[in-house]
Amino acid sequence: MAEELKVIQDFYDLILWTVNHTSKFPRHHRHSLGVDMENRLQAILALLLRAKYTRDRFAFLDEANLELEILRFQVRLAKDLQLLSVKSYGHAAERMLDIGRQIGGWAKRGKSDS
């Protein structure tokens, strides 16, 4: 149970970090890419929480991983559009990689419990 709580806390921290950065995007990008990233973050958090409270969590974790992959590309796009610095992009990429590993471990453990 500790791993799922850690991934949820780590993801929550990523949300806070990201929102602090997307709020600084120029208006056009803030209301398009920034809002879409924030909505995706909230959707992933909801999937992780649903996974926490159900026995059949694999579908939720699988969907969370897919959404996380889309978020990775959105963060990369923000970097390429120079909305995020290379350093900020590196930080976000590391956090998302770690969270992806945690989700994968949780899903794998859940499959073996079934």
Side-chain angles (χ1 to χ4, degrees), residues 3-4 6-8 10-11 44 47-48 51 57-69 72 95-113:
E3 185 173 342
E4 37 293 17
K6 181 175 176 358
V7 72
I8 290 169
D10 288 352
F11 193 77
I44 295 168
L47 289 164
L48 293 174
R57 59 184 51 104
F58 184 74
F60 293 117
L61 296 175
D62 193 43
E63 183 70 18
N65 248 343
L66 176 60
E67 291 295 323
L68 185 63
E69 184 67 13
R72 282 185 182 105
R95 298 288 55 86
M96 289 185 291
L97 183 62
D98 181 52
I99 289 165
R101 285 184 185 133
Q102 290 179 59
I103 292 171
W106 186 8
K108 186 176 180 179
R109 203 174 69 249
K111 273 186 160 182
S112 66
D113 291 347

Side-chain angles (χ1 to χ4, degrees), residues 12-114:
Y12 183 84
D13 293 344
L14 177 64
I15 292 172
L16 289 175
W17 182 90
T18 304
V19 169
N20 282 327
H21 284 75
T22 58
S23 67
K24 297 172 188 159
F25 285 5
R27 179 181 292 196
H28 171 72
H29 294 296
R30 167 81 184 114
H31 293 292
S32 57
L33 181 59
V35 169
D36 196 47
M37 289 170 65
E38 291 175 17
N39 288 339
R40 178 154 285 107
L41 287 159
Q42 291 177 27
I44 295 168
L45 179 62
L47 289 164
L48 293 174
L49 291 170
R50 282 179 169 72
K52 178 181 176 184
Y53 289 103
T54 185
R55 292 180 56 74
D56 186 22
R57 59 184 51 104
F58 184 74
F60 293 117
L61 296 175
D62 193 43
E63 183 70 18
N65 248 343
L66 176 60
E67 291 295 323
L68 185 63
E69 184 67 13
I70 296 167
L71 181 65
R72 282 185 182 105
F73 277 90
Q74 289 179 314
V75 171
R76 181 176 157 193
L77 178 61
K79 186 250 318 165
D80 291 343
L81 291 171
Q82 300 178 342
L83 305 172
L84 286 177
S85 69
V86 172
K87 182 179 177 183
S88 292
Y89 169 75
H91 174 80
E94 285 179 27
R95 298 288 55 86
M96 289 185 291
L97 183 62
D98 181 52
I99 289 165
R101 285 184 185 133
Q102 290 179 59
I103 292 171
W106 186 8
K108 186 176 180 179
R109 203 174 69 249
K111 273 186 160 182
S112 66
D113 291 347
S114 299

